[in-house]
Amino acid sequence: MADTANGEPPASTMELFNRIAAQGEFVRALKAKKASKDEVDAAVELLLSLKASYKTAVGEDYKADCPPGNPAPGGDCGPDATEPEEDFVDPWTVQTSSAKGIDYDKLIVRFGSSKINKELIDRIERATGQRPHRFLRRGIFFSHRLDMNQVLDAYENKKPFYLYTGRGPSSEAMHVGHLIPFIFTKWLQDVFNVPLVIQMTDDEKYLWKDLTLDQAYGYAVENAKDIIACGFDIKKTFIFSDLDYMGMSSGFYRNVVKIQKHVTFNQAKGIFGFTDSDCIGKISFPAIQAAPSFSNSFPQIFKDRADIQCLIPCAIDQDPYFRMTRDVAPRIGYPKPALLHSTFFPALQGAQTKMSASDPNSSIFLTDSAKEIKTKVNKYAFSGGRDTIEEHRQLGGNCDVDVSFMYLTFFLEDDDRLEQIKQDYTSGAMLTGELKKVLIEVLQPLIAEHQARRQEITDEIVKEFMTPRKLTFDFQ
């Protein structure tokens, strides 16, 4: 939910705006998958009810991309404005018809977040004394909730904050895209020297997927090995399985119940698109993902302190959970968590397609050999090149849709080299095969080094990371 400070609209109207956007996307998804008429009618009825409530509260009809009191710069907020239908984003589905991928500027407006600008990046650099991570420099982490400035205020005044991120273990295999939040979170942990909690939502995957509880928990343990291999400091990192930790921590479960009491079923349906046919486990799960945002969910780390700010790096599709969390937080006496949102990692076949653990050719997996990486990039990576060499030399390639270039923006550290590659490919001086060769040369050692680190992660090390315990930090 959006903030009310700095002249922003009241939380209730912004919440309505966001709920309408989410419900509109849900209706389109139901129609796309040819859901039953009763299911579609019920979703449409809720959408119309939300729009009627919005008109009563704001005094004008709902228009997409036109938040109350904050029209989109250069956007059409006139009477003929229509809802965009090309992108669909929720915590479980990301769809776009554009080869360039999701329109993140529109998504910022739709979700009511704020763009990470140069001023905020410069402030992070001043606070840490470190060059901003390439994910910040290149706009891969592109959006935030406004309390990010409060986190920096606290840090500059020697006050504590902690990091929270997570992983939904839906399979044993993780791909390179899954590393993005953990690579960035590792950097944040290092430069700010703060504790970190990592939630493994094995309960969620059991509820949403065709898995047994043992399978879901087993995937959590295996995924934890890949996460640990990113280099997290065991003295400052607690990784936990929901299936385990809910029974160990009275503080965690107490917060889950507090959150559950303050979110109605209608709100959950509006935010997450739940229907009457969803199991009650799904409806109650958002409170479980929200609970780690509050420090007293971890009494072994923070004792009974409930006032320590939380910073959550995550992909923007997880934002609905934390809009809900930020709405509930002041009502139960806790600080709102701050968020840093990342863009989505594209599938090899293009930014408009979806990566899937069931499709080994949709991405580079952390178990792939050097030969498999080379084959996948050469065979499947969507190209922004032209049909012939002659045409490519004359017109150049399109970096906006070329997956090999997109992957390099994530993994090639050297800014100057990346810019030179962009110029060469755009001008036609570099061919698609040459660009793919550069990517292969970047990915092969990156994956090989990760695999070597992961081989060193034993079950005992995982158990130590997942044991509730005191962490090391310098809080006053």
Side-chain angles (χ1 to χ4, degrees):
M1 191 180 73
D3 300 81
T4 59
N6 302 318
E8 293 186 19
S12 57
T13 59
M14 196 66 223
E15 179 188 13
L16 270 172
F17 179 85
N18 289 329
R19 287 175 62 193
I20 291 169
Q23 187 66 13
E25 291 179 345
F26 178 59
V27 169
R28 288 193 289 275
L30 286 178
K31 292 178 179 178
K33 70 178 185 181
K34 303 189 186 306
S36 69
K37 184 177 184 299
D38 288 346
E39 197 172 2
V40 173
D41 287 348
V44 170
E45 183 179 352
L46 176 57
L47 178 61
L48 294 175
S49 173
L50 289 169
K51 287 185 175 181
S53 299
Y54 183 88
K55 186 171 184 178
T56 300
V58 179
E60 58 185 39
D61 289 332
Y62 166 84
K63 295 183 182 69
D65 292 353
C66 300
N70 185 28
D76 180 5
C77 291
D80 297 325
T82 57
E83 291 189 43
E85 297 189 357
E86 64 271 17
D87 293 348
F88 177 82
V89 176
D90 72 8
W92 307 279
T93 307
V94 178
Q95 294 176 342
T96 180
S97 59
S98 171
K100 295 181 181 180
I102 297 291
D103 187 326
Y104 293 105
D105 288 334
K106 285 185 178 180
L107 204 58
I108 284 174
V109 173
R110 196 178 308 168
F111 280 9
S113 60
S114 300
K115 191 166 187 173
I116 294 177
N117 55 24
K118 187 176 186 301
E119 181 181 357
L120 181 60
I121 294 173
D122 288 346
R123 189 177 179 199
I124 292 171
E125 182 172 14
R126 289 195 303 272
T128 63
Q130 301 289 328
R131 186 187 188 203
H133 194 276
R134 64 181 182 274
F135 291 172
L136 284 173
R137 303 195 306 265
R138 297 172 189 168
I140 290 168
F141 273 81
F142 71 102
S143 164
H144 73 109
R145 294 287 174 187
L146 293 177
D147 293 85
M148 183 60 205
N149 284 302
Q150 292 184 14
V151 169
L152 291 171
D153 289 342
Y155 180 76
E156 289 168 352
N157 287 291
K158 310 299 182 186
K159 293 180 180 178
F161 77 92
Y162 71 101
L163 297 165
Y164 157 40
T165 193
R167 161 79 183 136
S170 57
S171 69
E172 196 169 325
M174 287 176 63
H175 56 64
V176 287
H178 291 140
L179 291 181
I180 302 308
F182 298 109
I183 290 171
F184 188 61
T185 301
K186 162 76 165 58
W187 180 82
L188 290 171
Q189 183 184 60
D190 289 346
V191 299
F192 285 107
N193 190 28
V194 290
L196 161 68
V197 296
I198 300 175
Q199 181 182 44
M200 308 298 287
T201 57
D202 40 12
D203 53 343
E204 176 203 17
K205 294 310 174 185
Y206 170 74
L207 293 167
W208 263 266
K209 303 283 187 180
D210 185 20
L211 299 174
T212 67
L213 282 171
D214 286 344
Q215 283 176 320
Y217 181 75
Y219 292 157
V221 171
E222 289 305 309
N223 286 185
K225 292 178 181 178
D226 280 305
I227 293 168
I228 293 167
C230 292
F232 291 107
D233 186 342
I234 195 168
K235 296 178 181 178
K236 297 185 176 68
T237 306
F238 173 48
I239 302 175
F240 64 98
S241 146
D242 283 343
L243 292 175
D244 270 355
Y245 189 61
M246 280 277 281
M248 295 182 186
S249 172
S250 60
F252 190 90
Y253 186 61
R254 284 172 183 265
N255 280 338
V256 169
V257 173
K258 284 182 182 179
I259 297 160
Q260 288 172 338
K261 187 172 182 177
H262 287 80
V263 181
T264 68
F265 181 39
N266 275 340
Q267 285 175 321
K269 288 196 293 187
I271 296 168
F272 300 103
F274 297 137
T275 70
D276 292 343
S277 61
D278 281 312
C279 71
I280 60 174
K282 289 185 179 181
I283 296 156
S284 62
F285 172 74
I288 298 172
Q289 184 155 326
S293 306
F294 306 129
S295 56
N296 61 347
S297 291
F298 306 98
Q300 74 278 10
I301 302 173
F302 304 112
K303 298 185 178 178
D304 294 325
R305 290 191 62 174
D307 62 333
I308 300 176
Q309 183 95 43
C310 177
L311 173 59
I312 306 169
C314 62
I316 196 168
D317 61 331
Q318 298 302 299
D319 186 71
Y321 285 111
F322 302 112
R323 289 204 301 270
M324 181 198 77
T325 308
R326 287 167 57 82
D327 178 37
V328 169
R331 291 190 273 149
I332 57 178
Y334 298 152
K336 293 181 180 182
L339 282 97
L340 294 171
H341 300 127
S342 73
T343 59
F344 302 116
F345 192 79
L348 279 172
Q349 289 83 353
Q352 74 273 41
T353 59
K354 188 177 187 299
M355 287 179 291
S356 171
S358 61
D359 180 3
N361 298 320
S362 65
S363 189
I364 305 298
F365 284 78
L366 302 180
T367 52
D368 285 346
S369 66
K371 183 179 179 181
E372 286 171 325
I373 293 168
K374 182 177 180 179
T375 299
K376 285 185 179 182
V377 171
N378 283 329
K379 188 172 182 180
Y380 298 108
F382 185 81
S383 168
R386 305 294 175 172
D387 292 338
T388 67
I389 292 178
E390 292 75 16
E391 188 180 0
H392 186 91
R393 293 292 191 199
Q394 180 183 0
L395 300 175
N398 184 354
C399 288
D400 289 339
V401 302
D402 193 290
V403 167
S404 294
F405 184 79
M406 292 180 188
Y407 278 31
L408 286 174
T409 64
F410 282 88
F411 295 116
L412 181 61
E413 176 62 33
D414 189 328
D415 288 345
D416 292 337
R417 188 179 179 209
L418 184 68
E419 180 58 30
Q420 187 61 55
I421 289 170
K422 182 177 183 179
Q423 291 179 15
D424 290 347
Y425 193 63
T426 303
S427 70
M430 175 180 278
L431 299 175
T432 297
E434 294 169 328
L435 177 60
K436 289 186 174 186
K437 184 173 183 291
V438 174
L439 176 61
I440 291 165
E441 291 171 349
V442 169
L443 287 179
Q444 284 177 332
L446 183 148
I447 300 299
E449 289 164 12
H450 179 89
Q451 291 169 352
R453 292 192 300 270
R454 192 189 190 281
Q455 283 185 339
E456 301 297 318
I457 310 299
T458 64
D459 289 340
E460 284 302 311
I461 291 174
V462 174
K463 185 177 180 181
E464 189 174 350
F465 268 94
M466 298 182 77
T467 297
R469 66 201 188 282
K470 185 178 179 180
L471 299 182
T472 302
F473 49 85
D474 298 323
F475 289 174
Q476 296 178 352

